[in-house]
């Protein structure tokens, strides 16, 4: 079916919006708008992410890929993450803007490839394309002498002033001093790190967005972080790394994915997190040691490894039972998934 121009515009408008909320397994419009706002807390990171989404969605549509998948943001969210990471890491300039389309194309090709590989087993590709895209960019960037590393994160107040003036600096500092609880601070930092933002305000906006999108998802984000926090405390691991190393979100996303999105939310899905989250921590710390040799971040690798492995194990059960029930039809909301199973 050939789409008319207004229909094509609608596909790309919805695809752009959903590429942001799809990071949290959602298609909620208000949540997406909040995430777009968060992404532009660093102007160049936001611009890089947005351009990457537009490029990937245009590629998907022009090459004849499924319009529904474009509309839902499946072809855009990995490119968004790669663009955000790229935009935050490197200094704007001609090489910067030349490499954004290259990074978007690379991530899009990885997306289509892993879609084809994993969909045969009814498994999600999650953020594997983003991981491969960002790692490839980081490994190759040392050979691009004209591509300078960004120093914007060092002068945060200058960035805030450029976006919103002195009032934004004052509001950010007031909010930063308002939250004194260490656990809450690291939880918010972990949420902000999903969009490569290292400030509490970004984390708060994302937390509010999750609460708007789904109370179950919000509870799972808290439970996932709390379980990781307790395990770190008991084992004596460096708990501050949850925030500043871009790893704390692995526990939050794993909790949402397995507690209520790919699996119907129930007391059993919640109880399994008590066992699965420590596994994510072990996988995270192990990969950190390995990837330090290559000076690469693990990013969302532990989340991808554990979630895909766990879902694969569920799919080859001989007797699935009624405890851990895989979501038969995805409605992009734990509440809707639960409700539609019961009717």
């Amino acid at each position: 079916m050939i789409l008319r121009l207004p229909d094509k515009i609608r596909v790309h408008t919805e695809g752009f919006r959903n590429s942001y909320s799809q990071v949290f397994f959602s298609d909620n419009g208000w949540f997406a708008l909040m995430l777009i706002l968060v992404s532009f807390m660093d102007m160049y990171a936001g611009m890089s992410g947005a351009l990457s989404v537009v490029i990937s969605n245009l590629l998907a549509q022009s090459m004849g890929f499924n319009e529904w998948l474009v509309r839902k943001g499946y072809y855009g969210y990995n490119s968004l993450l790669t663009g955000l990471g790229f935009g935050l890491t490197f200094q704007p300039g001609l090489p910067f803007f030349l490499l954004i389309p290259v990074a978007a194309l690379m991530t899009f090709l990885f997306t289509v490839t892993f879609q084809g590989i994993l969909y045969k087993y009814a498994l999600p590709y999650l953020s594997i394309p983003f991981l491969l895209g960002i790692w490839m960019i980081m490994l190759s960037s040392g050979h691009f002498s004209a591509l300078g590393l960004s120093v914007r994160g060092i002068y945060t107040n200058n960035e805030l002033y450029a976006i919103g003036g002195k009032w934004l600096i004052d509001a950010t500092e007031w909010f930063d001093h308002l939250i004194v609880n260490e656990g809450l601070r690291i939880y918010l930092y972990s949420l902000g790190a999903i969009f490569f933002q290292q400030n509490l305000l970004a984390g708060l906006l994302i937390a509010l967005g999750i609460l708007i999108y789904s109370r179950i998802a919000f509870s799972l984000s808290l439970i996932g972080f709390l379980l990781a926090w307790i395990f770190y405390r008991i084992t004596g691991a460096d708990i501050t790394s949850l925030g500043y190393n871009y790893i704390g979100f692995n526990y939050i996303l794993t909790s949402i994915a397995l507690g209520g999105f790919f699996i119907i939310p129930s007391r059993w899905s919640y109880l399994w997190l008590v066992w699965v989250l420590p596994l994510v921590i072990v996988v995270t710390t192990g990969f950190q040691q390995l990837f330090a040799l290559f000076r690469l971040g693990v990013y969302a690798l532990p989340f991808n490894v554990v979630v895909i492995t766990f879902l694969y194990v569920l799919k080859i059960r001989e007797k699935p039972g009624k405890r851990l029930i895989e979501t038969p039809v995805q409605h992009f909301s734990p509440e809707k998934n639960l409700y539609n199973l019961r009717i």
Side-chain angles (χ1 to χ4, degrees):
M1 182 178 67
I2 299 176
L3 294 178
R4 296 175 302 170
L5 182 59
D7 294 325
K8 290 183 178 180
I9 293 174
R10 189 177 302 112
V11 166
H12 285 286
T13 301
E14 292 183 14
F16 179 83
R17 181 194 69 197
N18 289 331
S19 294
Y20 286 79
S21 55
Q22 197 62 243
V23 174
F24 290 90
F25 317 108
S26 169
D27 60 0
N28 184 282
W30 288 108
F31 187 23
L33 291 176
M34 295 182 76
L35 293 174
I36 292 171
L37 175 63
V38 167
S39 73
F40 275 90
M41 285 185 170
D42 182 288
M43 189 62 65
Y44 288 105
M47 185 187 308
S48 177
L51 284 173
S52 297
V53 170
V54 171
I55 291 169
S56 291
N57 286 344
L58 284 173
L59 280 169
Q61 196 276 330
S62 63
M63 293 176 69
F65 287 96
N66 187 283
E67 298 281 358
W68 184 85
L69 294 177
V70 177
R71 187 190 298 268
K72 286 296 181 182
Y74 275 91
Y75 292 116
Y77 75 89
N78 274 288
S79 293
L80 165 67
L81 293 173
T82 301
L84 289 172
F86 179 83
L88 193 71
T89 304
F90 299 104
Q91 195 67 20
L94 181 58
F96 177 91
F97 288 104
L98 284 175
L99 283 170
I100 288 176
V102 176
L105 172 61
M106 179 168 55
T107 307
F108 170 75
L109 294 176
F110 284 139
T111 297
V112 175
T113 300
F114 279 92
Q115 178 191 40
I117 294 172
L118 292 175
Y119 271 22
K120 292 186 294 185
Y121 306 98
L123 291 170
Y125 51 84
L126 300 179
S127 53
I128 293 176
F130 150 68
L131 291 171
L132 295 177
I134 198 69
W135 286 336
M136 200 65 66
I137 288 292
M138 294 303 178
L139 289 170
S140 62
S141 62
H143 294 278
F144 304 137
S145 58
L147 183 66
L149 291 174
S150 171
V151 294
R152 296 193 308 278
I154 301 174
Y155 306 106
T156 306
N157 282 349
N158 290 347
E159 300 165 37
L160 294 174
Y161 186 84
I163 296 172
K166 187 176 183 301
W167 75 268
L168 184 57
I169 296 175
D170 294 338
T172 303
E173 290 180 348
W174 172 82
F175 183 72
D176 187 72
H177 289 98
L178 181 66
I179 299 178
V180 295
N181 180 270
E182 182 187 19
L184 180 57
R185 291 177 68 88
I186 297 179
Y187 168 73
L188 295 178
Y189 276 131
S190 298
L191 283 174
I194 297 174
F195 269 60
F196 292 89
Q197 300 294 329
Q198 279 291 346
N199 63 79
L200 296 174
L201 184 57
L204 177 65
L205 289 174
I206 292 175
L208 289 174
I210 296 175
L211 183 59
I212 292 171
Y213 140 59
S214 165
R215 287 174 294 175
I216 292 177
F218 181 72
S219 71
L220 287 167
S221 75
L222 292 173
I223 289 170
F225 179 80
L226 182 60
L227 288 172
W229 173 275
I230 293 172
F231 193 84
Y232 268 72
R233 286 290 191 188
I234 293 174
T235 58
D238 180 15
I239 202 164
T240 58
S241 65
L242 283 171
Y244 67 77
N245 269 352
Y246 295 117
I247 62 170
F249 62 80
N250 281 283
Y251 315 119
I252 294 172
L253 290 179
T254 300
S255 184
I256 295 173
L258 296 181
F261 185 76
F262 294 110
I263 297 173
I264 299 296
S266 68
R267 66 177 182 274
W268 295 108
S269 70
Y270 276 64
L271 285 171
W272 262 96
L273 294 176
V274 179
W275 203 354
V276 171
L277 265 298
L279 171 61
V280 181
I281 295 172
V282 172
V283 172
T284 300
T285 52
F287 276 132
Q288 279 184 303
Q289 300 303 312
L290 176 63
F291 277 68
L293 300 175
F294 304 98
R295 298 182 181 180
L296 291 174
V298 298
Y299 300 112
L301 180 60
F303 154 68
N304 281 267
V305 169
V306 172
V307 170
I308 292 175
T309 302
F310 193 83
L311 291 176
Y312 179 73
V313 169
L314 291 184
K315 290 183 183 302
I316 61 175
R317 290 177 294 175
E318 185 177 342
K319 298 178 180 179
K322 296 182 179 180
R323 292 182 176 178
L324 290 180
I325 303 174
E326 296 175 75
T327 304
V329 178
Q330 192 53 254
H331 297 277
F332 302 98
S333 165
E335 285 84 356
K336 291 179 181 178
N337 291 341
L338 179 60
Y339 174 76
N340 280 275
L341 185 71
R342 289 179 172 177
I343 59 175

